[in-house]
Amino acid sequence: LSLQAGLRAEQVRWDLDFPGLDPFSRSYFDLFPSANLSWRIDRERRVRLSYSQRVGRPGVSVLDPTDRSTDPLERNVGNPDLDPRTTHRLNLNASWSTELGTLSAGPYLNRTVDGWERITTVDAEGVTTRSWENLSSQSSAGGSVNFSFRRIGSWRGSANVSGSRSWR
């Protein structure tokens, strides 16, 4: 039985200066945990449970509040107040080695929060504005079964079946 745990620290600072607009800064300090619990049942069988957290930061084009549209009735702007999206991943995997090859199978679950969505609003004068907001969350669950055949001469092979479901 083995346990590995980690904690990644990340400090990010962006100083952005767009023409014709006041400069602004974004600063993030985040901690990202991960853990891996592995149980080697015997020489042929192993089970592993893992967790990790990841971040997706909005790019400059998504943050940029500059209106680049040439149509006075339609604005396309970024949102400098967007938060990063965060994904939590949980995975269970079991593997079994045989004389023919290795069979592995397991389910997974992912959950993303603070996703960015493009929204459209219309003001009283009829001007349409498209921008970004932290509005969505998404979950996905699934699993897979894989068999990797042992090498026979110069030949190798594998077979994989997987399925998943996502909901927003």
Side-chain angles (χ1 to χ4, degrees):
L1 187 66
S2 68
L3 172 65
Q4 294 176 322
L7 187 63
R8 181 173 59 93
E10 183 176 286
Q11 172 68 51
V12 176
R13 180 175 171 90
W14 288 357
D15 293 313
L16 302 171
D17 188 7
F18 297 108
L21 300 171
D22 292 334
F24 66 94
S25 297
R26 294 299 305 249
S27 184
Y28 306 99
F29 177 76
D30 295 297
L31 297 172
F32 302 103
S34 63
N36 184 4
L37 178 64
S38 182
W39 178 33
R40 186 166 198 117
I41 300 167
D42 54 33
R43 287 188 58 194
E44 290 83 25
R45 296 177 295 167
R46 185 183 74 189
V47 176
R48 180 171 41 197
L49 177 66
S50 61
Y51 168 81
S52 65
Q53 182 180 336
R54 297 289 182 249
V55 66
R57 302 202 190 284
V60 174
S61 64
V62 175
L63 296 173
D64 183 358
T66 307
D67 180 13
R68 302 200 188 284
S69 174
T70 58
D71 184 345
L73 295 178
E74 186 171 315
R75 301 178 65 234
N76 290 296
V77 296
N79 181 355
D81 295 321
L82 280 179
D83 291 324
R85 66 177 170 241
T86 304
T87 301
H88 302 272
R89 295 181 178 173
L90 187 62
N91 188 347
L92 178 64
N93 180 272
S95 63
W96 179 31
S97 295
T98 69
E99 290 182 14
L100 297 175
T102 302
L103 175 68
S104 63
Y108 69 87
L109 177 63
N110 297 335
R111 173 88 173 137
T112 300
V113 295
D114 288 330
W116 316 311
E117 296 299 329
R118 193 98 194 236
I119 64 163
T120 303
T121 59
V122 181
D123 67 15
E125 288 80 37
V127 176
T128 301
T129 301
R130 296 188 76 206
S131 189
W132 298 91
E133 293 289 336
N134 290 104
L135 294 177
S136 67
S137 61
Q138 179 175 344
S139 296
S140 60
S144 65
V145 176
N146 183 65
F147 190 81
S148 298
F149 298 94
R150 293 218 186 269
R151 177 173 280 177
I152 301 174
S154 62
W155 291 88
R156 291 190 75 149
S158 66
N160 186 49
V161 175
S162 63
S164 65
R165 179 178 187 270
S166 294
W167 57 99
R168 294 174 65 95

